[in-house]
Each structure stands twice: as structure tokens, then as C-alpha cells.
Amino acid sequence: MWTSQEILQNQLLLNNMLIRSYCLLCGNVANQIFCTSCLKEIKPLSIYKKRCLKCSKPLSEYEIDYCENCKNKSFYFSQNISLFSYHDYIIKNLVKIFKFDGIKKAGILLARIIENEFFNTIKNIEYDLITFVPSSKDSLKERGFNPVEFILKKLKITTINILKREKHLKKQSELTLTEREKFIKGQFYLNKNSIVSGKKILIIDDIFTSGNTLNEISRILIENKAININTLTFFRD
């Protein structure tokens, strides 16, 4: 049995562990998952002079205007702009523990990382309303929140939820690109009484991979007489 002194020592040690944490990247003491110095090393995609005109992916020296994924593809949206690379070590780990482990502190840190780039980007986009890719009822029940909506709320962005999503038969992260394209058909529909006719709409999502999700939503909006769709994603896979 613990003595009262040992209990006190253990409690002090636990409190110290909760207060003092260490950066997962460099190992230095930090008051969050990653230290300020490492966070400053994250560079936005806007530093690249050559990016795909459709999806925002940085281009190789052999690519002109469009990346390999987009050059033979047409989208219903006019352009996607992605803010950061999903392959950054910090971003990828934060997204994982935020989306799949439900750790909201990671989402708050992601909002902080993208904040300046986000506002610098949307001020150059014309739109009448902002919406986001919805989660299914099952996903909301399991996770308790929509990750994109959560970050937008932290950024104090006013959005209109004009879309709903059918039940996920399988997580997109478990599907190949070809399977995702088939899976996404018929997944989304307009909320009752949503008015998109004559509107310029900005759709926001977290990660751009193939563009199939955003394209399917854009198709629905265009078919309901929206006049222009732009998309913005926090990260580009």
C-alpha cells in the first residue's frame, strides 16, 4: 500500500507530466504536441511558384500548368486551392490524432497553423456563401464532431450547411483512388430548402486527394443552378 508521502510524490509527478510535455519532432520541452520552433518550419504551398491550376499541387519541372492527376480530368469546380502539404510530418500526425483519435487539441493547433494562410487566401476568392463537406450521421455519432466544421469554428468562419451525406459503407481512407471515385457517387444531397441557385459557393474540405468528393458536391450544386464553385482544402495529399 502506498504511504501518504508516496501518494503525494506520485501526484506531483503526474501533474508535472501533464504540465510538461515534449515536442514529438525535436524532443524539446513544449507546452503542446509540437514546439513553436518546429511549427515555424511548416511552409505553405503558396511558396511554390508553379502549382497545378486545378488542384494546387506543386508542379515538377516537367509539368506545365497541370499535374498528372488533373491534366486529363475536368472538374465542376473552377479551382481548388490547398494551403499546406499533407505530407508534412507535423501536419500528418496532427490530422491523424485529430480525425481518427478525436483529440480536439490537435484540431485547435491545426487551426492555428493554417490561420494566416487561410485568411490571406479567401480574401482573393469571390463567393456568396461558404459551406463544407458534411459528415454522415454515423461519423458524427462516432467522432462527435465534423473535423472541417470544427476548424472553421475555431477560425470564426460563418458557414451554411447546405448538404447532407449518406451513411458511410466504408471509410475513404481504406479505399483505393478508383474505389473512392465509385463510392462517392450518390453520397451527397442538398438539405431541404437550401437555396444555391445563382450563388457563388466556396466549399471547404480538409484534404484534397483525387478531388472526387469535391467534384461530386460541385456537380450537385451546379445542377441546382449555382453559378460558380471554388474549393479550398487545408491540405494537399
Side-chain angles (χ1 to χ4, degrees), residues 41-206:
E41 294 300 313
I42 302 172
K43 303 301 180 187
L45 291 176
S46 58
I47 66 171
Y48 294 94
K49 292 182 179 179
K50 290 176 58 182
R51 289 199 286 169
C52 177
L53 298 179
K54 290 182 181 178
C55 78
S56 210
K57 184 179 181 180
L59 298 176
S60 71
E61 58 180 310
Y62 306 106
E63 294 172 321
I64 300 173
D65 293 337
Y66 305 106
C67 69
E68 284 298 313
N69 177 62
C70 294
K71 68 179 183 180
N72 296 317
K73 214 170 174 183
S74 60
F75 294 107
Y76 286 92
F77 54 84
S78 297
Q79 183 186 22
N80 171 74
I81 299 177
S82 294
L83 305 180
F84 293 88
S85 171
Y86 179 60
H87 298 283
D88 179 274
Y89 176 85
I90 291 177
I91 285 174
K92 195 161 194 173
N93 279 277
L94 285 174
V95 169
K96 178 183 178 296
I97 61 178
F98 176 48
K99 288 187 68 173
F100 302 111
D101 298 331
I103 307 300
K104 292 184 178 180
K105 284 185 178 180
I108 293 170
L109 189 49
L110 285 169
R112 175 184 156 194
I113 289 169
I114 71 172
E115 183 174 10
N116 288 340
E117 196 70 13
F118 179 88
F119 285 106
N120 286 336
T121 300
I122 65 168
K123 69 183 181 182
N124 296 315
I125 301 174
E126 289 187 26
Y127 59 86
D128 298 312
L129 64 91
I130 297 177
T131 193
F132 54 89
V133 175
S135 300
S136 67
K137 288 182 180 179
D138 286 347
S139 291
L140 285 173
K141 185 177 180 180
E142 179 183 348
R143 187 183 283 130
F145 60 91
N146 178 306
V148 179
E149 184 182 20
F150 179 92
I151 289 177
L152 291 174
K153 283 182 176 178
K154 293 301 172 186
L155 295 173
K156 295 181 171 56
I157 296 297
T158 300
T159 61
I160 299 176
N161 190 359
I162 60 176
L163 297 154
K164 287 189 177 181
R165 186 170 194 162
E166 296 287 358
K167 179 179 179 179
H168 290 284
L169 298 177
K170 207 172 184 182
K171 291 182 179 179
Q172 286 214 72
S173 57
E174 299 172 354
L175 302 172
T176 66
L177 291 179
T178 303
E179 287 173 333
R180 287 186 187 197
E181 190 167 4
K182 293 178 181 178
F183 168 78
I184 211 67
K185 299 293 184 184
Q187 275 281 299
F188 302 97
Y189 57 96
L190 282 180
N191 271 332
K192 188 177 181 181
N193 300 324
S194 290
I195 299 173
V196 301
S197 179
K199 303 291 185 183
K200 297 175 183 177
I201 300 172
L202 174 60
I203 309 170
I204 297 182
D205 200 7
D206 51 2

Side-chain angles (χ1 to χ4, degrees), residues 12-26:
L12 289 172
L13 178 61
L14 178 59
N15 289 340
N16 189 47
M17 290 172 63
L18 292 173
I19 294 169
R20 287 169 60 85
S21 60
Y22 297 87
C23 175
L24 293 180
L25 189 58
C26 70

Side-chain angles (χ1 to χ4, degrees), residues 55 69 77 80 82 206-211 214 233 235-237:
C55 78
N69 177 62
F77 54 84
N80 171 74
S82 294
D206 51 2
I207 304 169
F208 189 106
T209 303
S210 65
L214 291 168
T233 48
F235 314 114
R236 179 63 173 87
D237 196 358

